[in-house]
Amino acid sequence: MAAMDMFWVPPGLGLISGRMPENGEVMESFLGQTWQRFSWHYPNNHQWNPSTDGLVSHLRFARMRLGQAR
């Protein structure tokens, strides 16, 4: 029921400028592999609705945030 706020990728995802995206600097290990963790919360004006929001909308949000280069 709660909004998703994290996703994990193989290490090395960064911005074209070479900077690390905001809240993307944490590395975690799971099952012997290292993952780069991003923790991004939705803006206060976004009301998470589990009947319309899900994995696809969360990935759209992550892509949009990466496009903001912050």
Side-chain angles (χ1 to χ4, degrees):
M1 299 298 285
M4 295 183 215
D5 65 356
M6 293 189 201
F7 68 96
W8 293 259
V9 298
L13 181 60
L15 301 173
I16 291 173
S17 67
R19 290 185 311 113
M20 179 68 65
E22 184 178 80
N23 296 333
E25 65 279 343
V26 174
M27 301 294 165
E28 295 184 346
S29 293
F30 182 71
L31 296 176
Q33 187 168 353
T34 300
W35 297 92
Q36 182 178 356
R37 186 190 78 192
F38 287 82
S39 178
W40 290 341
H41 298 274
Y42 287 84
N44 290 334
N45 64 350
H46 178 85
Q47 194 69 30
W48 181 266
N49 182 344
S51 66
T52 57
D53 291 315
L55 184 57
V56 171
S57 60
H58 185 62
L59 291 174
R60 271 192 222 115
F61 169 69
R63 185 175 179 171
M64 181 266 313
R65 276 290 308 270
L66 286 169
Q68 292 174 345
R70 54 181 231 201

